[in-house]
Amino acid sequence: MLKLKIVMYMILVGLLCLTCTPKDTGSIKKTDVAKDTKTKLSKIDMLMSKMTLEEKIGQMNQYNGFWDATGPAPEGGDSRWKYDHLKSGLVGSVLNVTGAEAVRAMQKEAVEGSRLGIPLIFGLDVIHGHKTLTPVPLAETASWDLEAIELSARNAAIEASSRGINWTFAPMVDISRDARWGRVMEGAGEDTYLGCQIARARVKGFQGKDLKANNTIAACAKHFAGYGFAEAGMDYNTVDVGTSTLYNVILPPFKACVDEGVLTVMNSFNILNGVPATGDKFLQREVLKDRWDFQGFVISDWGSGKEMIDHGFAKDLKDVAIIATNAGSDMDMESYGNIRHLKEAVEEGKVDVKYIDDACRRILQAKEDLGLFDDPYKYCNVKREKELLYNDKHMEDALNLAKKSIVLLKNENSILPLSKKEKDLAVIGVLAGEKNSPLGNWRMGSDDNSAISVLEGLKEIGLKHKYEKGPDLIKGNTSFIHEVKINETDRTGFKEAVKLAKKSKKVVLVMGEHGYQSGEGRSRAKLGLPGLQQELLEAIHEVNPNIVLVTMSGRPLVLTWADENIPAILHAWQLGTQSGHAIAAALVGDYNPSGKIPMTFPRSVGQVPIYYNHMSSGRPGPIDLVFWRHYTDEVNAPLYPFGHGLSYTDFEYSDVTVTNNFATTGKVDVSVQLKNTGSVKGKEVVQLYIRDLVASTVRPIKELKGFELVPLEAGESKTITFDLTKEELGFFDPQGKFIFEAGEFHVFIGGSSDLKEFKKFEIQ
Ligand code: NOJ
């Protein structure tokens, strides 16, 4: 029956193709329509010519999974009308339905149960792995390893697609300079250049080379735009930024995704300069669809349509549908405005039908690009699902990336690496035994408590130790939707931990945030070690200062006391399924850390937002009087600068050479000699920064414009060369036009952004 229906549908489309000419879309501006790719568009036009206005609006409607699709049809309540909508062809997509069988069952309702049988697209937050969890995205970024990051997204797509998913709401490409904002864990940190490279790698990984394959999925660049600039780092808060920041910092990673062929873009909860992003015509129509010629579709964020009422921008749900659609938000996630009011709004002339046609065409085109019209069940193979979800290769890849994501923040007197024969070693801290927290915040495809803990990792490599948990970090259970309750009072286990530390030679202390302390809705005003951990750290330090502190978090932490008192700090973020294996390998030197932080670690919360590529100001100082850009009670410098990360070996930079052939070849070559002067092999992220000294709008004191991850054996040297062209040397003017201005530039090369020495070059 099903096959027959598909065949009939294909014959119908084929016949229509032969007999009809595509419908005239009228005088629609370039802003309003997806461009033709002849054959595909005509197929979609043929289908659209059969669709009623209601059915087209139905494509612009997405529901959260609303009933157990493998069970009986819902009988009442919200699930019932959503189910009726599904059968009536009034749903374009669902999210959060996973599993080959469940997706097949729901797809069947749409394909076999609705008049035109248009397949659904199934979305899910596949953010850092799926079943096999890789490090949280901020941690992955710390690897600066684009290939490994692409592979991580590729594996995630393979796993998620085997469970029926064909669309991920990733990558999140929001640049953020504010560690208080909990969602920094989901992005690539504070730098736009790095963010663009990571964004591209992730889109490539998810979408692969052939979107029609059954193991590639559509990516979604989110949150368009400005979400990472929430005032005071408070999630969902106001965003107000000028054109310089908008064009030069916030938008480029989205453009990079569009250039990489990202199929979808998600708008965002926030207002940007007074306009909610979901209702922002400038962002969605002018910038994204017109200037950038984006051909995919825009999905709202969860309920961000109806939140325009709370923002005070729309008066009711009908207004929401009108504003969002006119502004270019093509599909509504869980606001119900489109499905309830858009038809009426079109009939009343409040929304031009050309916008409905455009949105519907974009959505159908995405389904066509995914190959869903050819085979709506291609992601629904239970055998493949079973085979793929337990994948040794993915585990190994996840382990490699987890190791690469670790950052050695401090290592005085080479206390690290530990010897495998270490005697009287104590391991302390509740996070050392945690199997849940290292999974991070986005892990709905995985199983709770499935991470390898530090204790398990140490056991496997045979590092003998005694363990004391110390006080609990959290109270009760945690989940994706509930606030984490931090234990501030119950000191059970405190004394035992201090006692063990006292009689041990060295102590490995594992401390930090719980995985559910960062992520959506999880902003923090304090960035230190939460709960009783700082107190425990200080108490242990009093009895035994030989401490290796392993820190875990989804954001930069304020570790100022630890930096002043503890000889070694190894930052391990939330590293995913393989966390404990990776940390153990780094602790004993089986793996030599090479990660570099993609966000500045502040000394005090008061410094936030703190980022390396700030403007000079008119009073850069320092001077002896108070009248310069500084605090009276804190230094300007961060605790650890962007790009910082140590190794168990040493690297020496020399012979920086600038060859200015710009006039003839359009390039300035910058090269440097890098030598591994230590006794073990290692990897260094060589970073190149520029400064444009005088420009028509003020430029940052330093901007990353190139990097290379260089592996070197002990004693080995290599020359690294970077090309600087107009692309790296130019910037966006206040109108968003990319310009290049001749003049003097400084160039800095080294192993972090904290570089004082530079070479000069001038372009006439
Ligand atoms: C809200 C989040 O902001 C967004 O990033 C996510 O993709 C959606 N919820 C769907 O879960």
Side-chain angles (χ1 to χ4, degrees), residues 21 54 107 177 254-255 264 326 359 374 376 462 533 549 624:
T21 45
E54 234 182 334
Q107 188 71 295
R177 297 161 165 177
F254 289 94
K255 175 68 163 54
T264 66
N326 285 337
D374 301 328
Q533 296 180 106
L549 180 64
D624 288 340

Side-chain angles (χ1 to χ4, degrees), residues 431 434-441 443 448-449 472-487 513-518 522:
L431 284 177
E434 259 293 327
K435 293 178 67 59
N436 210 22
S437 168
L439 298 176
N441 180 267
R443 39 131 112 210
D448 280 347
N449 295 306
D472 282 337
L473 172 57
I474 58 167
K475 292 193 285 189
N477 291 329
T478 54
S479 78
F480 181 69
I481 53 172
H482 293 114
E483 203 90 50
V484 179
K485 295 197 182 64
I486 299 297
N487 170 31
E513 285 186 333
H514 190 275
Y516 278 133
Q517 278 189 274
S518 47
R522 293 159 198 282

Side-chain angles (χ1 to χ4, degrees), residues 62 95-96 124-125 127 169-170 172 183 186 222-223 227 235-236 266-267 269 300-302 333 442 444 480 520:
Q62 185 193 56
L95 78 154
N96 294 335
L124 186 77
D125 291 284
I127 309 292
F169 305 123
M172 186 185 103
R183 289 199 87 165
E186 199 179 338
K222 69 187 188 185
H223 305 85
Y227 187 40
D235 206 6
Y236 317 122
M266 184 185 287
N267 56 41
F269 295 128
S300 80
D301 201 346
W302 180 290
M333 182 193 286
W442 284 113
M444 37 233 223
F480 181 69
E520 187 183 344

Side-chain angles (χ1 to χ4, degrees), residues 478-535:
T478 54
S479 78
F480 181 69
I481 53 172
H482 293 114
E483 203 90 50
V484 179
K485 295 197 182 64
I486 299 297
N487 170 31
E488 312 269 0
T489 49
D490 181 357
R491 288 181 169 68
T492 311
F494 199 103
K495 279 193 192 132
E496 293 78 352
V498 177
K499 202 168 149 200
L500 174 64
K502 195 171 179 183
K503 60 182 188 210
S504 305
K505 276 205 178 118
K506 285 182 191 162
V507 184
V508 173
L509 253 175
V510 185
M511 292 185 157
E513 285 186 333
H514 190 275
Y516 278 133
Q517 278 189 274
S518 47
E520 187 183 344
R522 293 159 198 282
S523 297
R524 291 184 64 200
K526 300 171 191 147
L527 294 174
L529 297 168
L532 299 169
Q533 296 180 106
Q534 182 64 33
E535 189 183 324

Side-chain angles (χ1 to χ4, degrees), residues 638-762:
L639 184 62
Y640 303 117
F642 172 86
H644 167 78
L646 305 173
S647 163
Y648 295 149
T649 189
D650 294 307
F651 295 102
E652 189 183 273
Y653 287 78
S654 62
D655 302 334
V656 178
T657 317
V658 177
T659 315
N660 186 350
N661 287 327
F662 195 85
T664 49
T665 64
K667 278 186 200 163
V668 177
D669 284 345
V670 186
S671 64
V672 66
Q673 176 89 1
L674 179 73
K675 184 169 186 192
N676 178 348
T677 54
S679 55
V680 290
K681 70 174 179 189
K683 279 179 284 173
E684 169 74 333
V685 181
V686 178
Q687 301 158 45
L688 176 141
Y689 297 84
I690 61 156
R691 178 169 184 182
D692 181 350
L693 289 192
V694 180
S696 55
T697 57
V698 169
R699 306 302 307 138
I701 58 149
K702 225 173 255 169
E703 293 177 84
L704 181 75
K705 290 295 174 182
F707 64 88
E708 194 174 320
L709 181 60
V710 186
L712 287 180
E713 295 295 328
E716 199 188 350
S717 308
K718 199 177 163 191
T719 303
I720 318 297
T721 305
F722 297 94
D723 280 343
L724 294 173
T725 64
K726 278 186 181 171
E727 207 184 314
E728 288 78 30
L729 301 174
F731 60 92
F732 290 92
D733 74 5
Q735 284 70 45
K737 189 166 166 261
F738 191 76
I739 55 170
F740 165 74
E741 293 174 354
E744 196 183 335
F745 292 85
H746 289 176
V747 59
F748 310 71
I749 291 201
S752 88
S753 62
D754 184 22
L755 299 164
K756 306 275 178 292
E757 282 176 32
F758 56 84
K759 297 265 175 186
K760 296 178 185 174
F761 66 89
E762 189 162 351

